[in-house]
Amino acid sequence: MQKPPSTFLFPRSLWKRYPLSLLCIVVIWILSLMPFFPETPLNHVKFIDKWTHFVMYGGTCSVIWWEYIGQHRRLDGRRLFLFAWLAPTLMGGLLELLQAYCTGGHRNGDWLDFLANTVGVTLGAVIGLLMSLLLPKGGRGAGAADCCNNGGRP
């Protein structure tokens, strides 16, 4: 069996199975490394930057869980820990370091941003755990008979 060719940044199979997760990740990278950030009407809100980090990373982690649940009948806790908690947390740390050292002074890294990212990812994981209990499991071949109590009958 031949490996599917890679596309922009990630293998095509990942784009097919996890499109929203990867889109969230790409958007976070773009927003984090933009040399400028436009003024918004919310700039006066206290800690708006931290809330933004919290929501972006919590939302991304929740989307990763949601797409994973839709693709798998059995959940692999180690994989979920690695790809839905550890990887986004490390990505947040890496982006803060890149902002501090690689944006020519246009952006700055902030440990509180990293903390907001981590708290967001952790809340996203809790939401993901709740989704795993409430949503039907997916996987190949999952149909109405697999996720309904009526055996797939109308």
Side-chain angles (χ1 to χ4, degrees), residues 100-116:
Y101 298 109
C102 299
T103 60
H106 294 286
R107 302 295 295 264
N108 60 345
D110 184 353
W111 285 109
L112 290 178
D113 287 350
F114 178 62
L115 178 63

Side-chain angles (χ1 to χ4, degrees), residues 43-101:
N43 280 349
H44 69 281
V45 176
K46 195 172 186 175
F47 301 116
I48 189 63
D49 178 45
K50 307 313 175 234
W51 285 109
T52 303
H53 283 262
F54 174 78
V55 169
M56 283 193 324
Y57 281 80
T60 298
C61 186
S62 297
V63 169
I64 292 168
W65 272 83
W66 178 65
E67 288 187 324
Y68 184 90
I69 291 167
Q71 293 289 328
H72 299 87
R73 288 183 191 211
R74 297 189 60 182
L75 303 183
D76 182 342
R78 286 184 15 215
R79 258 194 190 159
L80 282 165
F81 171 76
L82 180 65
F83 294 111
W85 190 85
L86 186 61
T89 300
L90 293 175
M91 181 182 83
L94 175 63
L95 283 169
E96 290 304 318
L97 291 171
L98 289 173
Q99 285 179 341
Y101 298 109

